[in-house]
Amino acid sequence: MAALFELLPIVLFFIVFKLAGIYVATGVLIGTSVIQLAVSRWREHRFRTMPVAVTVLAVVLGGITIALHDPAFIKWKFSIVYWLFAIVLIGGQFIGKKTLIERGMRAMNSDINLPAPIWKRLNLSWALFFLLLGGINTWVIYNLTTEQWVDFKFYGVLGATLLFVIGQAIYLSRHVEMDTEKEG
């Protein structure tokens, strides 16, 4: 359910774009991002850094898009976000004993146990995936129409992410050790 909540701004952006165009869709993206951040804050009783950064980028670049009637700014938001994710994942490998991917899985009460080198490979593969998405998004910005960019953002990025997650699951299935001892 949390994953669907995370996708809400982009799904609404896509729907509203098809119905009313880039500027109204950008306004919806800004609004849903702010609401999503507020709900997250209410649920967790704290602000997490990346959702705040993503929302600030949506508000600033989305606001500039609307003010200047130039969709390039909102298009760039996605490349910047992907690259921020990559930088944080790579940087996180040098802070503490656990990668950010491992810490995130532990925070979700995951029972997945992996050797440290596998956690590092998983973390690095996600960082490289985000770097690649940011690069492809940048290419799409300059080489395709806004409508094609929106379709790429919705179908292409979501599809690529789904395929990447499936590939990761297959890779991890060879290395995972599930905890068999449960409290209870």
Side-chain angles (χ1 to χ4, degrees):
M1 194 66 165
L4 292 176
F5 180 68
E6 297 290 326
L7 290 175
L8 185 63
I10 194 63
V11 170
L12 291 176
F13 176 84
F14 177 78
I15 292 168
V16 173
F17 174 82
K18 296 296 183 180
L19 297 172
I22 189 74
Y23 303 111
V24 176
T26 299
V28 168
L29 179 70
I30 292 168
T32 55
S33 295
V34 169
I35 291 167
Q36 189 177 54
L37 183 64
V39 169
S40 176
R41 166 71 171 98
W42 178 73
R43 282 183 179 167
E44 298 175 23
H45 305 290
R46 67 184 180 99
F47 284 111
R48 290 181 296 135
T49 304
M50 285 309 284
V52 169
V54 169
T55 301
V56 167
L57 284 169
V59 170
V60 171
L61 296 175
I64 294 170
T65 290
I66 293 168
L68 299 180
H69 269 343
D70 185 349
F73 293 96
I74 198 63
K75 292 176 185 180
W76 269 100
K77 175 224 178 244
F78 295 98
S79 289
I80 293 168
V81 166
Y82 298 143
W83 292 332
L84 280 175
F85 285 162
I87 289 167
V88 167
L89 288 170
I90 292 168
Q93 289 207 181
F94 303 105
I95 300 171
K97 293 182 180 181
K98 295 180 180 178
T99 65
L100 290 177
I101 295 289
E102 182 179 1
R103 285 185 248 170
M105 295 290 280
R106 299 278 180 239
M108 295 186 314
N109 296 320
S110 171
D111 291 335
I112 296 176
N113 288 315
L114 297 168
I118 303 302
W119 281 117
K120 287 187 180 217
R121 277 187 223 141
L122 181 65
N123 196 72
L124 183 59
S125 67
W126 275 100
L128 293 173
F129 178 70
F130 285 126
L131 285 172
L132 181 63
L133 279 181
I136 293 170
N137 186 67
T138 302
W139 182 88
V140 170
I141 289 169
Y142 289 108
N143 293 287
L144 301 177
T145 67
T146 296
E147 176 130 3
Q148 291 168 322
W149 172 80
V150 171
D151 288 342
F152 159 76
K153 178 68 187 121
F154 189 74
Y155 298 115
V157 171
L158 289 179
T161 303
L162 180 62
L163 289 174
F164 186 75
V165 167
I166 291 168
Q168 291 290 304
I170 292 167
Y171 173 73
L172 289 177
S173 69
R174 300 182 310 174
H175 300 284
V176 72
E177 302 167 11
M178 297 298 281
D179 279 345
T180 55
E181 296 178 24
K182 288 275 191 182
E183 293 182 30

